[in-house]
Amino acid sequence: GNTASIIDELRVKVGSPESVDALLASLSAREQAILERRLETFDGQESVLLNPAERRVSQDIRAGLEGSPDYCGLTRIFFDRILDLTIRFVQLRQDIETGRPGGRFYYLSQSNALERDIHFDYYEFMKGTNLSGVVDIESSHVGGGRTDISFRQGGTRIVAEIKRDKQPTRAGQLDRYLNQAGLYQSSNVALGLLIVLDLSPKPHGQVRSLGQSIWLTEKPVLSDGDTRRSIVTAL
């Protein structure tokens, strides 16, 4: 399982692998279960997701990622935490009151909001989490361009491409952004995110569910044998 592979990596990294085995053997069954749960999160904490709708979205996307290149070991743990925090970001922005003109979240109610509004909001949100030390904004020389938001842990890099869109949401509407989002995966792990500020007209009282706002898709392959590149889209 994933926990076993993490423990194997731990044995390799420490100077005395026997000490790892001795520590595991000394734990009670309950303590071992707690350790396993914490080994399978990025920072040793339980999930940041607080309600069933959030957890359901996360579970569905994780199930869809099974078998994707690079979605394993420590990269899986790292991406899962980014995913969960992105789900949390969308959920909070769906709940929030936009406030008065000029306020921090007023852009969410404006049909002419700029890409930079969601760009900096997502970045500042992530800077306020336990990923603050690994998130960066507008990094150069990545996949031949400049990333919007990137997360780096060791040699692993996860990129979030930021866009805005004024067209009514429908199946395939955002596909034209996938090639650019996938471009940043060409020289690192085949996992990424596309964050889109939806500026389309919305009938009064119509609210898109969280499950309809975050989904997993794949970048269209450029040729036979191209790597499967998985992209989580958050609208």
Side-chain angles (χ1 to χ4, degrees):
N2 292 317
T3 301
S5 65
I6 295 169
I7 291 174
D8 286 342
E9 289 184 30
L10 184 60
R11 289 191 181 102
V12 172
K13 289 179 180 180
V14 301
S16 174
E18 296 80 8
S19 64
V20 176
D21 294 330
L23 174 62
L24 294 173
S26 69
L27 299 177
S28 67
R30 178 178 175 276
E31 289 170 333
Q32 288 182 16
I34 292 173
L35 176 63
E36 287 185 3
R37 285 200 304 272
R38 293 193 172 182
L39 283 172
E40 293 189 355
T41 62
F42 171 71
D43 50 23
Q45 301 298 316
E46 297 296 335
S47 175
V48 298
L49 303 181
L50 302 179
N51 69 55
E54 293 174 318
R55 291 193 289 270
R56 187 163 55 249
V57 171
S58 178
Q59 290 165 2
D60 288 347
I61 292 176
R62 292 185 194 201
L65 283 166
E66 290 296 336
S68 297
D70 305 318
Y71 188 66
C72 56
L74 297 178
T75 299
R76 181 190 65 80
I77 296 169
F78 187 35
F79 191 73
D80 282 351
R81 181 44 54 100
I82 297 170
L83 167 64
D84 284 358
L85 284 169
T86 299
I87 293 171
R88 187 75 181 130
F89 171 78
V90 174
Q91 189 274 331
L92 288 170
R93 294 305 177 266
Q94 286 185 336
D95 278 350
I96 204 163
E97 289 187 68
T98 56
R100 62 181 181 279
R104 179 181 174 188
F105 302 112
Y106 190 63
Y107 81 92
L108 292 169
S109 65
Q110 301 304 295
S111 61
N112 61 346
L114 302 176
E115 187 176 294
R116 69 184 183 191
D117 294 325
I118 185 70
H119 190 166
F120 284 105
D121 189 16
Y122 181 70
Y123 173 69
E124 289 177 356
F125 174 83
M126 287 297 182
K127 286 295 286 186
T129 72
N130 40 40
L131 294 181
S132 61
V134 300
V135 63
D136 199 6
I137 191 169
E138 295 188 340
S139 300
S140 300
H141 308 298
V142 177
R146 178 188 294 268
T147 66
D148 287 332
I149 304 292
S150 61
F151 304 86
R152 296 174 184 265
Q153 176 70 6
T156 298
R157 180 183 65 231
I158 306 293
V159 172
E161 174 71 4
I162 311 294
K163 294 292 184 183
R164 67 170 186 163
D165 196 280
K166 294 187 176 183
Q167 300 301 314
T169 303
R170 62 179 186 272
Q173 174 65 34
L174 304 177
D175 287 357
R176 65 185 184 278
Y177 299 134
L178 295 179
N179 271 336
Q180 185 171 356
L183 177 68
Y184 302 119
Q185 302 168 315
S186 59
S187 60
N188 209 283
V189 297
L191 299 165
L193 302 103
L194 172 64
I195 313 297
V196 181
L197 176 60
D198 177 15
L199 299 178
S200 65
K202 301 171 186 66
H204 182 69
Q206 295 297 311
V207 179
R208 185 174 48 246
S209 71
L210 187 64
Q212 293 175 314
S213 301
I214 308 176
W215 63 90
L216 176 65
T217 189
E218 290 185 22
K219 172 192 170 297
V221 297
L222 298 178
S223 61
D224 291 342
D226 192 15
T227 301
R228 173 186 172 186
R229 303 183 195 177
S230 301
I231 298 173
V232 171
T233 298
L235 188 62

